[in-house]
Amino acid sequence: LQTRRNSSHRRLRDGLHDEVKEREVEREALEAGLVHGRVVWFDQYPFADELEIRKDDQGRDVPQWQRRVVWSPSRMLPDLRWYLRNHHFLFGVFLAHPLHPLSTLERLALLVSACCCCLWLQFAVETDAEASAAEVTVGELGATDPTADPEHLRHLLRASSVVVAIWLGGALTTAWEQACKAMAVPPCMSPIAILSSRVRPFRGVSVAYTHVVVVATLLCGLALGTFAITRTRARVSLAFNAAAALSNSILLSMLVDTVVFLVARHEQLRRFGRPSVFRARAYPHGLMRPSAEFLWSTAWSYLPMPFGPYLRSRHVDPGIVKAQQLKTLVISGML
């Protein structure tokens, strides 16, 4: 009886040990992927193996397996959705992972700055259009076309300026938020580094530098937006035009992020087929880890590993995380 009891205890202990080890593997794969710009999370084998016959140096047929990247929209959509959740300037405010290098308030500050930038761009273009319309005189029209109507021409000029302001504002706002994001996030997590799939030693951006960049961006945007609102009389039309420009910026930013995702996916999977530093850092446990269930379970609340890749890259004291975990356990036990 004692032998059976000891055997059952040993099996239980081994099972708990395997479960803890499996969870540690999942967490390490998650943090390493987020730190090094991983873009393939849900597709466990995005390759297609083909057998090709090639000639060797002596002219003999040699069969070789060739691996190519699979481009299937249904298989890429979950990874693209996850990428947009963490990189889009609007979706990332509410849906980004807890390990995102920018906090929720910092991402919200960048969004407010983009909205204020939209207001100023609309005001600048409309002011220029009004100045051009005021210069239209009857004498100038009569020299070219005696039947021309100055008021009709001014109306067309204002209408065309609104369309130009909306599209130009969307493009410039997208460039604004991409530049702000590139300055605020760490170098290895910027869109340029993800696009080139370069793995460099993590140079963590200090918290003070991130705060300075975000606050300066927010103050600059608020100054431009306040200037536009106080100097115009048609505030309602200005707000509607800015909202339209912001909608265009949202779509354009989705397009830019999608292109970056597709190029980075191809580059990462092309390098995944051979041993490399990038694969060892961004995919330390392959494409199978972390699992989709674990990934979605950490989408809203997650505490990093005390000695994991994330804290090592951010140079954070592991004792702080241990204290946070203990505090969470105590609060949950009290509830």
Side-chain angles (χ1 to χ4, degrees):
L1 181 60
Q2 185 66 27
T3 303
R4 292 180 180 177
R5 186 177 299 172
N6 293 338
S7 177
S8 62
H9 288 170
R10 185 166 53 254
R11 287 196 300 269
L12 179 60
R13 183 177 64 253
D14 294 341
L16 292 176
H17 177 73
D18 294 340
E19 183 179 354
V20 171
K21 186 177 180 180
E22 181 70 18
R23 186 171 180 82
E24 294 296 322
V25 169
E26 296 270 5
R27 297 179 67 185
E28 184 180 5
L30 170 66
E31 295 184 13
L34 290 173
V35 166
H36 295 293
R38 174 177 175 175
V39 298
V40 181
W41 295 92
F42 297 94
D43 199 347
Q44 298 181 354
Y45 195 77
F47 303 106
D49 298 329
E50 296 179 351
L51 184 61
E52 295 183 359
I53 306 298
R54 295 188 176 184
K55 298 289 184 180
D56 58 2
D57 298 337
Q58 300 178 359
R60 294 176 300 184
D61 295 337
V62 178
Q64 292 183 354
W65 286 100
Q66 297 294 329
R67 175 180 291 177
R68 63 180 182 85
V69 180
V70 175
W71 294 90
S72 175
S74 60
R75 299 175 65 173
M76 292 189 299
L77 186 59
D79 291 326
L80 177 61
R81 184 167 61 244
W82 182 264
Y83 184 86
L84 292 177
R85 284 172 59 101
N86 291 279
H87 290 271
H88 195 271
F89 79 100
L90 177 62
F91 305 149
V93 175
F94 311 101
L95 303 176
H97 195 271
L99 294 184
H100 195 279
L102 300 179
S103 64
T104 304
L105 291 178
E106 291 172 342
R107 298 193 298 270
L108 183 61
L110 294 180
L111 177 61
V112 172
S113 175
C115 295
C116 295
C117 181
C118 259
L119 286 173
W120 181 80
L121 289 172
Q122 298 302 312
F123 171 75
V125 175
E126 290 181 5
T127 302
D128 182 72
E130 288 293 338
S132 301
E135 294 177 358
V136 178
T137 60
V138 180
E140 293 178 354
L141 294 177
T144 57
D145 187 6
T147 62
D149 186 8
E151 290 298 329
H152 180 66
L153 184 59
R154 294 191 186 100
H155 178 72
L156 291 179
L157 187 59
R158 294 189 184 95
S160 61
S161 68
V162 170
V163 176
V164 172
I166 289 175
W167 287 102
L168 183 62
L172 294 180
T173 304
T174 302
W176 172 275
E177 60 91 10
Q178 291 289 344
C180 295
K181 185 168 60 175
M183 290 188 297
V185 300
C188 73
M189 302 182 72
S190 64
I192 298 176
I194 294 176
L195 183 61
S196 60
S197 296
R198 297 175 182 174
V199 175
R200 298 170 291 177
F202 191 100
R203 293 192 295 110
V205 175
S206 64
V207 178
Y209 172 80
T210 302
H211 289 343
V212 168
V213 172
V214 173
V215 170
T217 304
L218 179 61
L219 292 178
C220 181
L222 289 177
L224 294 176
T226 304
F227 176 80
I229 293 176
T230 55
R231 293 297 298 272
T232 185
R233 297 180 179 177
R235 295 185 177 90
V236 177
S237 62
L238 181 67
F240 275 111
N241 294 339
L246 190 62
S247 302
N248 289 335
S249 178
I250 292 172
L251 297 178
L252 186 58
S253 182
M254 288 181 61
L255 179 61
V256 172
D257 290 336
T258 301
V259 172
V260 172
F261 165 78
L262 293 176
V263 176
R265 179 181 185 271
H266 174 74
E267 186 69 16
Q268 291 186 10
L269 293 179
R270 184 180 65 85
R271 296 186 181 188
F272 191 85
R274 58 179 184 269
S276 62
V277 177
F278 173 77
R279 175 178 175 180
R281 293 184 179 179
Y283 300 85
H285 300 283
L287 292 166
M288 303 289 291
R289 295 290 184 271
S291 62
E293 293 78 9
F294 179 80
L295 200 60
W296 286 115
S297 65
T298 62
W300 303 106
S301 177
Y302 180 81
L303 285 177
M305 301 172 62
F307 296 94
Y310 183 79
L311 292 187
R312 288 201 306 266
S313 63
R314 303 289 285 183
H315 307 291
V316 179
D317 186 7
I320 299 177
V321 181
K322 281 291 187 182
Q324 292 178 354
Q325 292 177 348
L326 181 61
K327 179 181 178 181
T328 304
L329 291 176
V330 171
I331 293 177
S332 61
M334 295 175 59
L335 295 177

